[in-house]
Amino acid sequence: MAQNRGPSPVIYIVIFLLLAAGGYWFFAKGQGNPPDIGQSDPPDPPPAAPPPAAPPPTAPPPTTPQFSLPNAVAAGTTIRVDGSTSMVTINQNLKNGFQQKFPGTTVTTEAKGSSQGIQGLISGSADIAAVSRPLTESEKSQGLIALPIALDRVAIVVGKDNPFRTGLSKTQVQQIFQGQIVDWSQVGGNSGAIRVINRPPISGTHQTFKEMILGGGEFGSTPNITTMERDATTPLLRELKTDGIGYATYAQVANQQTVRVVAIDGLTGEAATYPFQRKLYYAYKNPPNPAAQYFLGYALSPEGQKAMLGN
């Protein structure tokens, strides 16, 4: 009879391995951190705020056109210029040069004063306004743009037969036109009343004189001061006679035979450091119409600058 054998050693090995595995599992799980009772997971962070909305697009500011000398201008083109009486000579010289360069074109020029020329731009009755002062903020807000085209001097003038032969200081000029000096003897001349011939307030030269020479002050109101009804240089010069004093753009009187320019602080208008200087402008309404573009392109070109001087 065969002898009974015990369990196979393999069985013991398997049991040992199972026990070892179970013990490992028990101890590994048991040594973990027990869950915290009553403690919840931290809250999720709040969602990021959306980026600020981009500002709505805005229209770019209007650009100032660049004017160049035209190659050709069609015959029949008409250009209307109105404005300062101080720019009559400049306007006429440019008119002659433009019409000669572009046959068949017409340039009409009037001289109703700077403010009237600007009103013509706004109403559409003028293509270009010749103005002897900067534009106001109100005028700029209506789409008007002014381009400086020349540097001019305001001259103090007396009649050629006036016995006053010396010069004046800036202070004396101010005092004369504000009614503080009323007799020629107060400035070194013969005894006699000084008749002051003033331009009307609509005159660009009047406004320039007021700001540049009177420092923004007012003209005098003494009986010896007469304000002309119309802004015109020729009648003003005639009115000077032998005892009057007035003012005009230097270009208008430099070669006049009927008047004499008075030196200011020893200087007259041809001097680079002459104290009473100002810019002259051509103004247009933006965007400029073709007529304005043609004329401004010519006026600002070297050829136009030469013609402006009558050369």
Side-chain angles (χ1 to χ4, degrees), residues 37-122:
I37 299 173
Q39 184 175 2
S40 60
D41 292 337
D44 293 335
T58 56
T63 57
T64 301
Q66 299 296 315
F67 299 98
S68 57
L69 180 66
N71 294 322
V73 178
T77 298
T78 297
I79 300 165
R80 303 162 300 171
V81 182
D82 192 5
S84 174
T85 60
S86 302
M87 297 175 67
V88 168
T89 302
I90 288 175
N91 294 341
Q92 188 62 43
N93 289 344
L94 286 173
K95 168 184 176 175
N96 294 340
F98 188 91
Q99 292 180 158
Q100 183 176 358
K101 183 173 181 63
F102 303 109
T105 61
T106 300
V107 179
T108 64
T109 61
E110 294 189 82
K112 300 175 184 176
S114 295
S115 296
Q116 290 299 318
I118 288 169
Q119 289 304 312
L121 277 185
I122 295 171

Side-chain angles (χ1 to χ4, degrees), residues 9-296:
V10 175
I11 295 175
Y12 291 110
I13 294 171
V14 171
I15 292 172
F16 174 77
L17 292 175
L18 290 174
L19 290 173
Y24 174 79
W25 180 86
F26 175 79
F27 284 107
K29 292 295 183 182
Q31 296 300 320
N33 292 329
D36 293 332
I37 299 173
Q39 184 175 2
S40 60
D41 292 337
D44 293 335
T58 56
T63 57
T64 301
Q66 299 296 315
F67 299 98
S68 57
L69 180 66
N71 294 322
V73 178
T77 298
T78 297
I79 300 165
R80 303 162 300 171
V81 182
D82 192 5
S84 174
T85 60
S86 302
M87 297 175 67
V88 168
T89 302
I90 288 175
N91 294 341
Q92 188 62 43
N93 289 344
L94 286 173
K95 168 184 176 175
N96 294 340
F98 188 91
Q99 292 180 158
Q100 183 176 358
K101 183 173 181 63
F102 303 109
T105 61
T106 300
V107 179
T108 64
T109 61
E110 294 189 82
K112 300 175 184 176
S114 295
S115 296
Q116 290 299 318
I118 288 169
Q119 289 304 312
L121 277 185
I122 295 171
S123 68
S125 62
D127 302 306
I128 293 171
V131 293
S132 54
R133 59 167 176 82
L135 296 177
T136 66
E137 291 303 317
S138 174
E139 291 161 351
K140 292 177 184 177
S141 70
Q142 297 179 74
L144 305 189
I145 295 177
L147 299 175
I149 63 161
L151 184 66
D152 193 33
R153 282 88 173 169
V154 176
I156 307 301
V157 290
V158 296
K160 68 172 184 176
D161 296 325
N162 190 315
F164 180 74
R165 299 286 172 177
T166 58
L168 296 170
S169 69
K170 289 174 60 176
T171 300
Q172 288 173 327
V173 173
Q174 293 170 348
Q175 292 174 332
I176 288 172
F177 282 87
Q178 291 187 317
Q180 299 167 14
I181 291 178
V182 297
D183 195 285
W184 288 108
S185 62
Q186 294 175 268
V187 289
N190 298 332
S191 179
I194 300 175
R195 280 192 315 113
V196 176
I197 312 300
N198 194 12
R199 291 174 178 267
I202 63 168
S203 163
T205 310
H206 172 110
Q207 296 299 328
T208 298
F209 191 101
K210 181 176 175 180
E211 295 299 323
M212 182 170 61
I213 300 171
L214 302 184
E218 296 295 332
F219 286 91
S221 56
T222 48
N224 67 311
I225 298 177
T226 300
T227 299
M228 302 191 70
E229 294 182 359
R230 190 167 67 92
D231 185 25
T233 299
T234 300
L236 182 149
L237 300 182
R238 289 184 186 140
E239 190 62 26
L240 294 175
K241 301 178 181 177
T242 61
D243 57 352
I245 188 170
Y247 57 94
T249 181
Y250 181 72
Q252 288 181 303
V253 297
N255 298 315
Q256 280 279 351
Q257 303 301 311
T258 59
V259 297
R260 187 171 67 256
V261 174
V262 178
I264 308 301
D265 291 334
L267 302 170
T268 51
E270 67 273 8
T273 56
Y274 182 69
F276 301 155
Q277 299 189 48
R278 61 166 175 184
K279 291 180 180 179
L280 300 177
Y281 304 86
Y282 273 153
Y284 64 93
K285 190 168 186 179
N286 204 24
N289 61 28
Q293 294 184 52
Y294 296 148
F295 196 76
L296 290 173

